[in-house]
Amino acid sequence: MSVNFTEQTASTYINTIREILLEGLQALGCSITHACDVDGDLLFWDEREDRHYIVQFDEDKDPQFVRLSFWFWSIDDAVEREQAVRCCEAVTGVGKMVKLYVLPHEKEKVCISIELLLPVALDETGLPDSSASRPLLQTSLSRGLLIRYLNQLRTAANEFSRRMRELRPASSQPRWLN
């Protein structure tokens, strides 16, 4: 069932998600660096992992959609790109909830993400009700699930790294990014 968000209800719903995420991530010891673009995506730092993550929202097209991701491997040449694509496909195929892919920027990087569709409660007119949605969102973004999401990202990144090391010469160093 598709939810019909208005511009106002989408904005209110996304702000509720942001508030819950801010509380949850700070409770885990993460530092919110800032809202990093006009969409209000969040950049946060996990001290335990020494890593930056980004939480992306799609307020205009799908307010229920949230992506949690980070970039973690730089690619130096075409051979490494081919190896990285194969490893991304393999890890995505066996991982839980994770997608790994190569981002084609001027300096290519491997990105890993978990994408979520969050619940929304509707009022009697069929419009999204943010206050009624809050308990559902708090459950979907609970401490235990946030920990699990971060663990799934870390496990998949470690598996990618292991597979890449198997394909690379022993003399080359991995290029983890922060």
Side-chain angles (χ1 to χ4, degrees):
M1 176 178 119
S2 179
V3 177
N4 293 320
F5 284 92
T6 65
E7 188 175 323
Q8 178 62 39
T9 59
S11 178
T12 303
Y13 180 77
I14 294 286
N15 285 335
T16 302
I17 294 170
R18 274 192 202 97
E19 290 170 13
I20 292 167
L21 276 170
L22 287 169
E23 292 167 10
L25 292 169
Q26 288 171 337
L28 291 177
C30 298
S31 303
I32 305 303
T33 308
H34 62 294
C36 59
D37 64 12
V38 294
D39 293 332
D41 297 343
L42 299 173
L43 184 66
F44 69 93
W45 179 261
D46 185 347
E47 284 186 24
R48 298 163 300 156
E49 293 296 317
D50 194 27
R51 181 173 295 138
H52 277 104
Y53 293 85
I54 187 168
V55 180
Q56 296 170 296
F57 303 96
D58 189 3
E59 188 171 319
D60 295 333
K61 295 181 184 150
D62 190 353
Q64 291 179 269
F65 176 82
V66 174
R67 177 184 294 127
L68 175 64
S69 59
F70 69 94
W71 306 272
F72 71 101
W73 191 280
S74 66
I75 297 173
D76 285 339
D77 55 44
V79 171
E80 185 176 25
R81 184 186 197 289
E82 183 179 322
Q83 293 169 338
V85 167
R86 285 197 328 256
C87 287
C88 285
E89 291 170 353
V91 175
T92 297
V94 298
K96 290 181 180 178
M97 299 179 66
V98 295
K99 285 184 183 179
L100 287 89
Y101 46 94
V102 176
L103 288 173
H105 295 297
E106 60 184 70
K107 181 69 177 163
E108 290 185 309
K109 302 170 191 153
V110 174
C111 183
I112 184 169
S113 67
I114 288 180
E115 297 176 346
L116 306 170
L117 289 174
L118 297 174
V120 61
L122 304 177
D123 65 15
E124 60 280 345
T125 66
L127 290 175
D129 182 340
S130 287
S131 56
S133 295
R134 182 175 280 280
L136 299 171
L137 293 168
Q138 288 171 320
T139 299
S140 298
L141 299 170
S142 68
R143 175 182 167 83
L145 286 175
L146 285 175
I147 289 170
R148 186 149 188 209
Y149 300 151
L150 294 174
N151 285 342
Q152 290 297 320
L153 291 170
R154 180 177 42 257
T155 298
N158 289 338
E159 178 62 15
F160 174 90
S161 179
R162 183 191 67 76
R163 288 174 185 251
M164 285 296 286
R165 282 193 309 271
E166 288 176 356
L167 296 173
R168 298 181 56 78
S171 62
S172 64
Q173 297 293 316
R175 284 167 306 287
W176 277 81
L177 303 171
N178 280 332

